[in-house]
């Protein structure tokens, strides 16, 4: 660790960055295939159905984040039994939630279609998609847990392999089922479900091989008491519940931002959506460095090694800050040239151009929240993450409501920037407590 270079950090982060960038391709592939063969109703159904699953699955993102911190700490402590127990414990949790979603599929679908309020034609196609795609829930959620293990162990290249398999197979199956067999929306759902299950099997095989578990069923039986240990289960549920609340608060913040932008008209709504694509692009990079921080900080924390802990934080944060500044400068200088690639509407172009500097400023400020999230996940201090996001959400809604009256969309973006800064500030308030924990445990 003491020799950890910036190039080594980038080598660890790059597969995660590429895997993050590949995630939106699932929806893009579905849209492209159905767009070439289906109707407008088919396209609308795919868009709404993908939104439903994005919302549901994002809510259970703790299966990835929480797992990473626990795994990294167990790796640092060289606790092989706990590493194996974490594998089975998180897989069983993902399986349980996935089965629950299948059992609750009817009320979930009915609630979602009621809230989305699409046409009857579109809703019928959404149901066709939903009731097939929902059978991939256990695979998807168990894969979240496996991705958390891959990141926590530092096996980031394997994470990229899983993501490439998922997207590549999904593309092939979509072409077969939709273009070749003319199954329409149902074919899109079927292709995605099959790809999700195959990706899970591949990820499971990778993890079992890398962990050198020769007889998984026998190992599961040997560790059954440790897997269901009450103290460890309580710790897992506490961390995961905090991360779930934090995630829902993040979703609420972005949803509130979009809703307020819509009040200024369709052109402003579209312009904000375009600028958010720049923000999302930067998130692929910054989340990659945050994931590396989770891995290295968690490992050092498990080792109770202060020097390695400090070095991991310092170097990953410097690299993240430099990347955020470069991305922000790129958007600030060339954003006006990129905007016409995303829209031909001159009014939308103008509104987006007027606010592109604010999007750049958001990107420059956001790295601190990303990095601190990674650090706190690494040490599984989830309560601070939860509290920081709730405080930031309150600031966003309060300041946004106040500022949009005199300043319009500029006021909304300004509140959005404060939102990401407050997340970092509150986490910074909790940061000394991490050090006190580490210092206490090393004496």
């Amino acid at each position: 660790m003491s020799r950890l270079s910036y190039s080594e950090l980038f080598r660890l982060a790059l597969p995660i960055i590429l895997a993050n960038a590949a995630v939106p391709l699932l929806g893009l592939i579905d849209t492209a295939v159905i767009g070439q063969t289906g109707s407008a109703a088919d396209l609308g159904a795919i868009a709404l159905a993908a939104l439903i699953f994005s919302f549901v699955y994002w809510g259970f993102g703790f299966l990835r984040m929480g797992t990473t911190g626990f795994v990294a700490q167990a790796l640092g402590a060289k606790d092989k039994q706990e590493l194996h127990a974490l594998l089975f414990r998180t897989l069983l949790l993902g399986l349980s939630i996935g089965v629950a979603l299948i059992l609750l599929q009817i009320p979930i679908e009915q609630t979602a279609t009621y809230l989305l309020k699409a046409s009857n034609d579109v809703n019928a196609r959404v149901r066709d998609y939903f009731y097939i795609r929902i059978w991939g829930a256990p695979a998807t959620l168990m894969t979240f847990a496996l991705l958390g293990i891959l990141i926590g162990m530092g096996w980031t290249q394997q994470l990229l392999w899983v993501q490439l398999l998922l997207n590549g197979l999904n593309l092939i199956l979509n072409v077969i089922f939709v273009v070749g067999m003319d199954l329409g929306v149902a074919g899109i759902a079927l292709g995605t479900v099959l790809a999700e299950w195959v990706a899970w099997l591949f990820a499971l095989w990778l993890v079992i091989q890398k962990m050198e578990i020769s007889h998984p069923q026998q190992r599961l039986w040997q560790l059954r008491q440790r897997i269901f240990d009450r103290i460890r289960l309580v710790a897992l549920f506490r961390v995961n519940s905090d991360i779930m609340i934090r995630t829902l608060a993040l979703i609420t913040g972005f949803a509130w931002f979009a809703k307020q932008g819509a009040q200024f008209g369709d052109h402003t709504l579209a312009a904000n959506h375009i600028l958010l694509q720049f923000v999302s692009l930067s998130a692929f990079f910054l989340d990659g460095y945050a994931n590396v921080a989770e891995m290295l900080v968690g490992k050092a924390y498990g080792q109770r090694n202060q020097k390695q802990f400090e070095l991991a934080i310092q170097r990953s944060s410097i690299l993240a800050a430099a990347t955020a500044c470069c991305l922000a400068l790129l958007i600030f200088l060339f954003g006006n040239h990129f905007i016409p690639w995303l829209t031909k509407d001159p009014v939308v172009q103008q509104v987006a151009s007027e606010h592109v500097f604010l999007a750049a400023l958001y990107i420059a400020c956001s790295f601190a929240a990303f990095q601190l999230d990674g650090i706190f996940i690494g040490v599984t201090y989830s309560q601070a993450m939860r509290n920081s996001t709730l405080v930031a959400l309150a600031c966003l809604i309060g300041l946004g409501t106040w500022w949009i009256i005199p300043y319009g969309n500029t006021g909304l973006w300004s509140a959005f920037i404060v939102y990401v800064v407050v997340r970092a500030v509150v986490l910074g308030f909790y940061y000394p407590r991490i050090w006190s924990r580490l210092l206490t445990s090393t004496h």
Side-chain angles (χ1 to χ4, degrees), residues 294-348:
E294 294 172 24
M295 172 204 322
L296 300 178
V297 168
K299 183 178 179 181
Y301 191 79
Q303 293 172 335
R304 300 300 187 256
N305 190 315
Q306 297 178 40
K307 184 177 180 180
Q308 293 182 358
F309 187 82
E310 183 177 8
L311 188 64
I313 292 174
Q314 182 186 64
R315 294 195 171 178
S316 63
S317 298
I318 289 174
L319 193 56
T323 301
C325 290
C326 289
L327 290 169
L329 185 62
L330 182 67
I331 296 302
F332 178 72
L333 294 177
F334 303 105
N336 288 335
H337 299 287
F338 297 147
I339 290 170
W341 295 1
L342 301 175
T343 179
K344 295 180 180 179
D345 189 307
V347 178
V348 175

Side-chain angles (χ1 to χ4, degrees), residues 33-111:
V33 172
I34 204 68
Q36 297 299 316
T37 59
S39 64
D42 290 326
L43 275 173
I46 290 296
L48 293 182
L51 179 63
I52 294 170
F53 281 98
S54 294
F55 184 83
V56 171
Y57 289 157
W58 199 11
F60 297 110
F62 59 75
L63 286 165
R64 204 287 298 160
M65 289 182 283
T67 301
T68 296
F70 284 114
V71 167
Q73 290 178 36
L75 177 64
K78 297 182 179 179
D79 190 343
K80 190 173 182 179
Q81 278 200 333
E82 181 59 16
L83 284 173
H84 291 180
L86 277 166
L87 169 62
F88 295 117
R89 193 181 299 133
T90 53
L91 282 177
L92 289 171
L93 179 58
L95 175 62
S96 300
I97 297 172
V99 171
L101 290 176
I102 290 176
L103 294 176
L104 295 171
Q105 59 182 286
I106 294 177
I108 293 173
E109 180 274 322
Q110 290 179 344
T111 302

Side-chain angles (χ1 to χ4, degrees), residues 29 129 243:
I29 289 168
Y129 182 98
I243 294 176

Side-chain angles (χ1 to χ4, degrees), residues 63-64 67 90-91 94-95 136-150 159 162-163 166 195-204 207:
L63 286 165
R64 204 287 298 160
T67 301
T90 53
L91 282 177
L95 175 62
T140 297
L141 297 180
M142 287 191 290
T143 300
F144 283 179
L146 293 171
L147 295 180
I149 290 172
L150 290 174
L159 178 144
V162 173
Q163 199 63 58
L166 176 62
E196 286 169 338
W197 279 103
V198 172
W200 169 71
L201 288 171
F202 178 63
L204 180 62
V207 170

